[in-house]
Amino acid sequence: MTRPVPLGCRSVTALSLTSLVGVTAFGWPLLASTESALVGHSVDAPWLFALLLPLLLAVVIAQISEGRSAGGGAPGLDAKSVALLGVLAAAGAALRPLGAGTAGLEPMFFLMVLSGRVLGPGFGFVLGSLSMFASALLTGGVGPWLPFQMLAMGWVCLGAGLLPGTASLRGRRELVLLAAYGALSAVLYGTIMNLQGWPYIGGLSSSISFVPGDPLPANLVRFAAYCLTTSLGWDLPRAALTVVLCLTLGAPVLRALRRTTRRAAFAAPVAFHPPAE
Protein backbone atom coordinates (compact mmCIF):
# COMPACT_ATOMS: atom_id res chain seq x y z
CA MET A 1 0.00 0.00 0.00
CA THR A 2 1.27 3.48 -0.91
CA ARG A 3 2.03 5.80 1.95
CA PRO A 4 2.93 9.47 1.58
CA VAL A 5 5.69 9.28 4.20
CA PRO A 6 7.27 5.81 4.30
CA LEU A 7 9.97 4.95 6.78
CA GLY A 8 13.53 4.84 5.53
CA CYS A 9 16.88 4.73 7.31
CA ARG A 10 17.05 8.50 7.81
CA SER A 11 13.47 8.63 9.04
CA VAL A 12 14.00 5.81 11.52
CA THR A 13 17.09 7.57 12.86
CA ALA A 14 15.27 10.89 13.26
CA LEU A 15 12.25 9.26 14.90
CA SER A 16 14.45 7.22 17.24
CA LEU A 17 16.37 10.30 18.33
CA THR A 18 13.15 12.25 18.90
CA SER A 19 11.65 9.40 20.91
CA LEU A 20 14.81 9.05 22.98
CA VAL A 21 14.66 12.73 23.88
CA GLY A 22 10.98 12.32 24.75
CA VAL A 23 11.52 9.29 26.98
CA THR A 24 14.31 11.13 28.78
CA ALA A 25 12.15 14.22 29.28
CA PHE A 26 9.27 12.18 30.70
CA GLY A 27 11.30 9.85 32.87
CA TRP A 28 14.27 11.74 34.28
CA PRO A 29 12.51 12.82 37.54
CA LEU A 30 12.10 9.14 38.47
CA LEU A 31 15.88 8.86 38.61
CA ALA A 32 16.45 12.11 40.51
CA SER A 33 18.33 11.95 43.76
CA THR A 34 17.03 13.11 47.13
CA GLU A 35 19.06 16.32 46.86
CA SER A 36 17.55 17.23 43.48
CA ALA A 37 15.47 20.40 43.39
CA LEU A 38 12.44 19.45 41.29
CA VAL A 39 10.81 22.73 40.31
CA GLY A 40 8.44 21.49 37.61
CA HIS A 41 8.48 21.47 33.85
CA SER A 42 8.02 25.24 33.64
CA VAL A 43 11.83 25.41 33.54
CA ASP A 44 12.71 22.56 31.17
CA ALA A 45 9.61 22.62 28.93
CA PRO A 46 10.77 25.62 26.85
CA TRP A 47 14.06 23.85 26.19
CA LEU A 48 12.27 20.63 25.30
CA PHE A 49 9.96 22.53 22.94
CA ALA A 50 12.95 24.27 21.35
CA LEU A 51 14.58 20.88 20.81
CA LEU A 52 11.41 19.13 19.64
CA LEU A 53 10.71 21.46 16.72
CA PRO A 54 14.10 20.89 15.00
CA LEU A 55 13.72 17.15 15.57
CA LEU A 56 10.29 17.17 13.91
CA LEU A 57 11.82 19.17 11.08
CA ALA A 58 14.56 16.54 10.86
CA VAL A 59 11.90 13.85 10.32
CA VAL A 60 10.37 15.90 7.51
CA ILE A 61 13.75 16.59 5.90
CA ALA A 62 14.60 12.88 6.13
CA GLN A 63 11.45 12.05 4.19
CA ILE A 64 12.23 14.62 1.50
CA SER A 65 15.83 13.46 1.11
CA GLU A 66 14.84 9.79 0.96
CA GLY A 67 12.30 10.48 -1.77
CA ARG A 68 14.85 12.40 -3.83
CA SER A 69 17.68 9.97 -3.28
CA ALA A 70 15.45 7.24 -4.67
CA GLY A 71 15.37 9.07 -7.97
CA GLY A 72 11.62 9.47 -7.92
CA GLY A 73 10.98 5.74 -7.54
CA ALA A 74 10.02 5.99 -3.88
CA PRO A 75 7.52 8.46 -2.47
CA GLY A 76 8.95 11.26 -0.38
CA LEU A 77 7.33 14.15 1.38
CA ASP A 78 6.15 16.41 -1.45
CA ALA A 79 3.63 19.22 -1.85
CA LYS A 80 0.68 16.82 -1.98
CA SER A 81 1.59 15.02 1.23
CA VAL A 82 2.31 18.33 2.98
CA ALA A 83 -1.16 19.54 1.96
CA LEU A 84 -2.72 16.33 3.30
CA LEU A 85 -0.74 16.73 6.51
CA GLY A 86 -2.07 20.26 6.93
CA VAL A 87 -5.68 19.24 6.32
CA LEU A 88 -5.57 16.35 8.78
CA ALA A 89 -3.76 18.40 11.43
CA ALA A 90 -6.41 21.12 11.11
CA ALA A 91 -9.18 18.51 11.38
CA GLY A 92 -7.59 17.01 14.49
CA ALA A 93 -7.17 20.44 16.05
CA ALA A 94 -10.82 21.26 15.33
CA LEU A 95 -12.06 17.97 16.83
CA ARG A 96 -10.18 18.29 20.12
CA PRO A 97 -12.15 21.23 21.62
CA LEU A 98 -15.42 19.35 21.02
CA GLY A 99 -14.78 17.12 24.00
CA ALA A 100 -11.75 18.46 25.88
CA GLY A 101 -12.58 19.15 29.49
CA THR A 102 -15.65 16.88 29.50
CA ALA A 103 -14.82 13.64 31.33
CA GLY A 104 -11.71 13.22 29.18
CA LEU A 105 -13.69 12.78 25.95
CA GLU A 106 -11.45 13.64 23.01
CA PRO A 107 -12.84 12.68 19.57
CA MET A 108 -9.58 13.57 17.86
CA PHE A 109 -8.07 10.27 19.01
CA PHE A 110 -9.98 8.13 16.53
CA LEU A 111 -8.94 10.34 13.60
CA MET A 112 -5.30 10.23 14.68
CA VAL A 113 -5.38 6.43 14.98
CA LEU A 114 -7.01 5.95 11.57
CA SER A 115 -4.69 8.46 9.88
CA GLY A 116 -1.61 6.79 11.32
CA ARG A 117 -2.91 3.42 10.15
CA VAL A 118 -3.42 4.52 6.54
CA LEU A 119 -0.59 6.99 6.09
CA GLY A 120 2.19 5.30 8.03
CA PRO A 121 4.23 5.75 11.21
CA GLY A 122 6.45 8.57 9.94
CA PHE A 123 3.56 10.65 8.67
CA GLY A 124 1.58 9.72 11.79
CA PHE A 125 4.21 10.94 14.24
CA VAL A 126 4.47 14.32 12.56
CA LEU A 127 0.67 14.54 12.24
CA GLY A 128 0.06 13.78 15.91
CA SER A 129 2.59 16.33 17.08
CA LEU A 130 1.38 19.07 14.75
CA SER A 131 -2.27 18.40 15.63
CA MET A 132 -1.59 18.91 19.33
CA PHE A 133 0.39 22.06 18.59
CA ALA A 134 -2.39 23.47 16.41
CA SER A 135 -5.10 22.60 18.92
CA ALA A 136 -3.14 24.32 21.70
CA LEU A 137 -2.98 27.49 19.63
CA LEU A 138 -6.69 27.19 18.87
CA THR A 139 -7.80 26.69 22.47
CA GLY A 140 -5.15 28.74 24.28
CA GLY A 141 -3.75 25.59 25.87
CA VAL A 142 -0.10 26.57 25.50
CA GLY A 143 1.92 25.73 28.58
CA PRO A 144 4.72 23.55 29.96
CA TRP A 145 2.65 20.48 29.12
CA LEU A 146 2.48 21.21 25.36
CA PRO A 147 5.75 19.58 24.19
CA PHE A 148 4.86 16.49 26.21
CA GLN A 149 1.40 16.35 24.61
CA MET A 150 3.00 16.65 21.18
CA LEU A 151 5.36 13.76 21.88
CA ALA A 152 2.65 11.55 23.40
CA MET A 153 0.21 12.08 20.53
CA GLY A 154 3.02 11.53 18.03
CA TRP A 155 3.68 8.15 19.63
CA VAL A 156 -0.04 7.28 19.45
CA CYS A 157 -0.10 7.90 15.69
CA LEU A 158 3.26 6.22 15.14
CA GLY A 159 2.01 3.09 16.91
CA ALA A 160 -1.10 3.01 14.72
CA GLY A 161 1.13 3.07 11.65
CA LEU A 162 3.09 0.08 12.93
CA LEU A 163 0.05 -2.16 13.45
CA PRO A 164 0.17 -5.42 11.44
CA GLY A 165 -1.89 -6.28 8.38
CA THR A 166 -1.53 -3.01 6.52
CA ALA A 167 -2.05 -4.57 3.10
CA SER A 168 -4.18 -7.62 3.95
CA LEU A 169 -6.39 -6.79 6.92
CA ARG A 170 -9.70 -5.15 5.98
CA GLY A 171 -13.31 -4.97 7.07
CA ARG A 172 -14.58 -5.71 10.53
CA ARG A 173 -11.36 -7.31 11.72
CA GLU A 174 -9.38 -4.19 10.94
CA LEU A 175 -11.92 -2.02 12.74
CA VAL A 176 -11.73 -4.25 15.81
CA LEU A 177 -7.92 -4.04 15.74
CA LEU A 178 -8.01 -0.25 15.47
CA ALA A 179 -10.65 0.05 18.18
CA ALA A 180 -8.58 -2.10 20.54
CA TYR A 181 -5.45 -0.11 19.79
CA GLY A 182 -7.37 3.16 20.16
CA ALA A 183 -8.62 2.14 23.60
CA LEU A 184 -5.15 1.07 24.73
CA SER A 185 -3.45 4.17 23.36
CA ALA A 186 -6.07 6.46 24.93
CA VAL A 187 -5.32 5.02 28.37
CA LEU A 188 -1.56 5.01 27.80
CA TYR A 189 -1.69 8.62 26.62
CA GLY A 190 -3.29 9.66 29.90
CA THR A 191 -0.80 7.58 31.87
CA ILE A 192 2.20 9.09 30.10
CA MET A 193 0.84 12.60 30.54
CA ASN A 194 0.39 11.89 34.26
CA LEU A 195 4.10 11.12 34.45
CA GLN A 196 5.07 14.59 33.26
CA GLY A 197 3.24 16.29 36.14
CA TRP A 198 3.05 13.80 38.98
CA PRO A 199 6.56 14.31 40.45
CA TYR A 200 5.86 18.03 40.98
CA ILE A 201 2.43 17.87 42.64
CA GLY A 202 2.55 18.67 46.34
CA GLY A 203 0.04 17.87 49.06
CA LEU A 204 -0.68 14.32 47.89
CA SER A 205 -1.20 11.37 50.18
CA SER A 206 2.03 9.58 51.00
CA SER A 207 0.71 6.45 49.31
CA ILE A 208 0.51 8.13 45.88
CA SER A 209 3.08 10.94 46.07
CA PHE A 210 6.46 10.95 44.38
CA VAL A 211 9.46 10.55 46.70
CA PRO A 212 12.75 11.79 45.18
CA GLY A 213 15.56 9.33 45.71
CA ASP A 214 13.32 6.36 46.51
CA PRO A 215 13.90 3.13 44.55
CA LEU A 216 12.29 3.17 41.13
CA PRO A 217 9.95 0.20 41.85
CA ALA A 218 8.57 1.95 44.94
CA ASN A 219 7.86 5.15 43.02
CA LEU A 220 6.27 3.19 40.18
CA VAL A 221 3.88 1.53 42.65
CA ARG A 222 2.88 4.96 43.95
CA PHE A 223 2.49 6.20 40.38
CA ALA A 224 0.16 3.32 39.53
CA ALA A 225 -1.93 4.15 42.57
CA TYR A 226 -1.95 7.81 41.56
CA CYS A 227 -3.25 6.95 38.07
CA LEU A 228 -5.94 4.66 39.44
CA THR A 229 -7.22 7.23 41.92
CA THR A 230 -7.00 10.38 39.82
CA SER A 231 -7.00 10.06 36.03
CA LEU A 232 -8.55 6.69 35.24
CA GLY A 233 -12.00 8.29 35.31
CA TRP A 234 -10.85 10.48 32.40
CA ASP A 235 -8.86 7.86 30.52
CA LEU A 236 -11.60 5.22 30.37
CA PRO A 237 -14.25 7.53 28.82
CA ARG A 238 -11.66 8.65 26.27
CA ALA A 239 -10.95 5.01 25.44
CA ALA A 240 -14.67 4.16 25.23
CA LEU A 241 -15.39 7.07 22.88
CA THR A 242 -12.46 6.08 20.67
CA VAL A 243 -13.78 2.50 20.44
CA VAL A 244 -17.29 3.67 19.53
CA LEU A 245 -16.05 6.09 16.87
CA CYS A 246 -13.66 3.55 15.35
CA LEU A 247 -16.40 0.92 15.08
CA THR A 248 -19.10 3.27 13.77
CA LEU A 249 -17.20 5.84 11.66
CA GLY A 250 -13.99 3.92 11.03
CA ALA A 251 -15.02 2.25 7.76
CA PRO A 252 -16.00 5.43 5.83
CA VAL A 253 -13.04 7.39 7.21
CA LEU A 254 -10.60 4.64 6.22
CA ARG A 255 -12.10 4.49 2.73
CA ALA A 256 -11.84 8.27 2.37
CA LEU A 257 -8.21 8.32 3.50
CA ARG A 258 -7.23 5.44 1.22
CA ARG A 259 -9.09 6.93 -1.74
CA THR A 260 -7.33 10.26 -1.17
CA THR A 261 -3.97 8.50 -1.07
CA ARG A 262 -4.66 6.61 -4.31
CA ARG A 263 -5.92 9.64 -6.21
CA ALA A 264 -3.04 11.79 -5.05
CA ALA A 265 -0.65 9.22 -6.58
CA PHE A 266 2.10 9.93 -4.07
CA ALA A 267 4.30 7.18 -5.50
CA ALA A 268 3.93 8.23 -9.13
CA PRO A 269 7.37 8.94 -10.60
CA VAL A 270 8.00 12.47 -11.81
CA ALA A 271 9.43 12.82 -15.30
CA PHE A 272 10.24 15.96 -17.27
CA HIS A 273 10.04 15.91 -21.05
CA PRO A 274 11.28 18.56 -23.47
CA PRO A 275 8.55 20.60 -25.16
CA ALA A 276 7.29 19.24 -28.44
CA GLU A 277 8.65 21.05 -31.47
Side-chain angles (χ1 to χ4, degrees), residues 172-246:
R172 193 68 178 176
R173 290 189 304 162
E174 183 179 33
L175 293 180
V176 171
L177 173 65
L178 293 175
Y181 173 79
L184 178 62
S185 63
V187 174
L188 290 178
Y189 174 87
T191 303
I192 292 173
M193 287 307 300
N194 284 339
L195 187 58
Q196 64 89 27
W198 170 65
Y200 311 102
I201 300 177
L204 295 175
S205 167
S206 59
S207 61
I208 62 173
S209 62
F210 173 70
V211 180
D214 258 24
L216 180 61
N219 270 324
L220 289 179
V221 169
R222 297 189 189 98
F223 177 64
Y226 171 81
C227 292
L228 290 173
T229 57
T230 58
S231 70
L232 196 61
W234 292 75
D235 298 336
L236 290 181
R238 182 193 300 119
L241 178 63
T242 303
V243 169
V244 170
L245 292 178
C246 284

Side-chain angles (χ1 to χ4, degrees), residues 1-2 84 88 110-111 113-115 117-119 166 169-172 174-175 178 245-264 266:
M1 176 184 172
T2 301
L84 181 59
L88 291 174
F110 101 98
L111 178 61
V113 169
L114 268 57
S115 298
R117 168 66 170 178
V118 173
L119 301 166
T166 303
L169 194 62
R170 292 292 185 272
R172 193 68 178 176
E174 183 179 33
L175 293 180
L178 293 175
L245 292 178
C246 284
L247 294 178
T248 56
L249 301 179
V253 172
L254 286 172
R255 284 196 299 268
L257 289 171
R258 285 171 174 147
R259 184 169 58 249
T260 299
T261 301
R262 288 194 302 269
R263 291 186 175 181
F266 292 106

Side-chain angles (χ1 to χ4, degrees), residues 109-163:
F109 264 77
F110 101 98
L111 178 61
M112 296 294 102
V113 169
L114 268 57
S115 298
R117 168 66 170 178
V118 173
L119 301 166
F123 190 103
F125 184 84
V126 178
L127 172 62
S129 299
L130 289 182
S131 296
M132 293 303 293
F133 179 70
S135 67
L137 296 180
L138 183 64
T139 61
V142 178
W145 52 85
L146 178 56
F148 297 92
Q149 289 177 329
M150 293 171 63
L151 283 165
M153 185 58 73
W155 288 332
V156 168
C157 297
L158 184 148
L162 294 175
L163 291 174

Side-chain angles (χ1 to χ4, degrees), residues 51-85:
L51 182 59
L52 177 60
L53 290 183
L55 288 174
L56 287 175
L57 181 61
V59 177
V60 175
I61 292 175
Q63 301 301 326
I64 295 174
S65 62
E66 283 170 346
R68 289 179 176 175
S69 64
L77 187 64
D78 59 7
K80 292 179 289 186
S81 51
V82 169
L84 181 59
L85 176 64

